Coordinates of all heavy atoms in Angstrom, one line a residue:
V346 N -4.0 15.9 -2.6 CA -4.3 16.1 -4.0 C -3.1 15.7 -4.8 O -1.9 15.7 -4.3 CB -4.6 17.6 -4.3 CG1 -6.0 18.0 -3.8 CG2 -3.5 18.5 -3.8
L347 N -3.4 15.2 -6.0 CA -2.3 14.8 -6.9 C -2.2 15.9 -8.0 O -3.2 16.2 -8.7 CB -2.6 13.5 -7.6 CG -2.0 12.2 -7.1 CD1 -2.3 11.1 -8.1 CD2 -0.5 12.3 -6.8
H348 N -1.0 16.5 -8.2 CA -0.8 17.3 -9.4 C 0.2 16.6 -10.2 O 1.4 16.5 -9.9 CB -0.2 18.7 -8.9 CG -1.2 19.5 -8.2 ND1 -2.4 19.9 -8.6 CD2 -1.1 20.0 -6.9 CE1 -3.0 20.6 -7.7 NE2 -2.3 20.7 -6.7
G349 N -0.2 16.0 -11.3 CA 0.6 15.1 -12.1 C 1.0 13.9 -11.1 O 0.1 13.3 -10.5
D350 N 2.3 13.7 -11.0 CA 2.7 12.6 -10.1 C 3.1 13.1 -8.7 O 3.6 12.3 -7.9 CB 3.9 11.8 -10.7 CG 5.1 12.6 -10.8 OD1 5.1 13.9 -10.6 OD2 6.2 12.1 -11.2
R351 N 2.8 14.4 -8.4 CA 3.2 14.9 -7.1 C 2.0 14.9 -6.1 O 0.9 15.4 -6.4 CB 3.7 16.4 -7.2 CG 4.8 16.6 -8.2 CD 6.0 15.9 -7.8 NE 6.8 15.5 -9.0 CZ 8.1 15.7 -9.1 NH1 8.8 16.2 -8.1 NH2 8.7 15.3 -10.2
L352 N 2.2 14.3 -5.0 CA 1.2 14.1 -4.0 C 1.4 15.1 -2.8 O 2.4 15.0 -2.2 CB 1.2 12.6 -3.5 CG 0.0 12.1 -2.6 CD1 -0.1 10.6 -2.7 CD2 0.2 12.5 -1.2
H353 N 0.4 16.0 -2.7 CA 0.4 17.0 -1.6 C -0.6 16.6 -0.5 O -1.8 16.5 -0.8 CB 0.1 18.3 -2.2 CG 1.0 18.8 -3.3 ND1 2.0 19.7 -3.1 CD2 1.1 18.4 -4.6 CE1 2.6 19.9 -4.3 NE2 2.1 19.1 -5.2
L354 N -0.1 16.4 0.7 CA -1.1 16.1 1.8 C -1.8 17.3 2.2 O -1.4 18.4 2.2 CB -0.3 15.6 3.0 CG 0.3 14.2 2.9 CD1 1.2 13.9 4.1 CD2 -0.9 13.2 2.9
S355 N -3.1 17.1 2.7 CA -3.8 18.1 3.4 C -3.1 18.5 4.7 O -2.5 17.7 5.3 CB -5.2 17.6 3.7 OG -5.8 18.3 4.7
Q356 N -3.2 19.7 5.0 CA -2.6 20.2 6.3 C -3.5 20.2 7.4 O -3.3 20.7 8.5 CB -2.0 21.6 6.1 CG -0.9 21.7 4.9 CD 0.3 20.8 5.1 OE1 1.0 20.9 6.1 NE2 0.5 19.8 4.2
S357 N -4.7 19.6 7.2 CA -5.7 19.6 8.3 C -5.4 18.5 9.3 O -4.6 17.6 8.9 CB -7.1 19.2 7.7 OG -7.5 20.3 6.7
P358 N -5.9 18.5 10.5 CA -5.6 17.5 11.5 C -6.0 16.1 11.1 O -6.9 15.9 10.3 CB -6.5 17.9 12.7 CG -6.7 19.4 12.5 CD -6.8 19.6 11.0

Side-chain angles (χ1 to χ4, degrees):
V346 289
L347 263 190
H348 294 301
D350 65 353
R351 307 295 151 137
L352 190 155
H353 302 255
L354 284 172
S355 161
Q356 304 298 302
S357 300

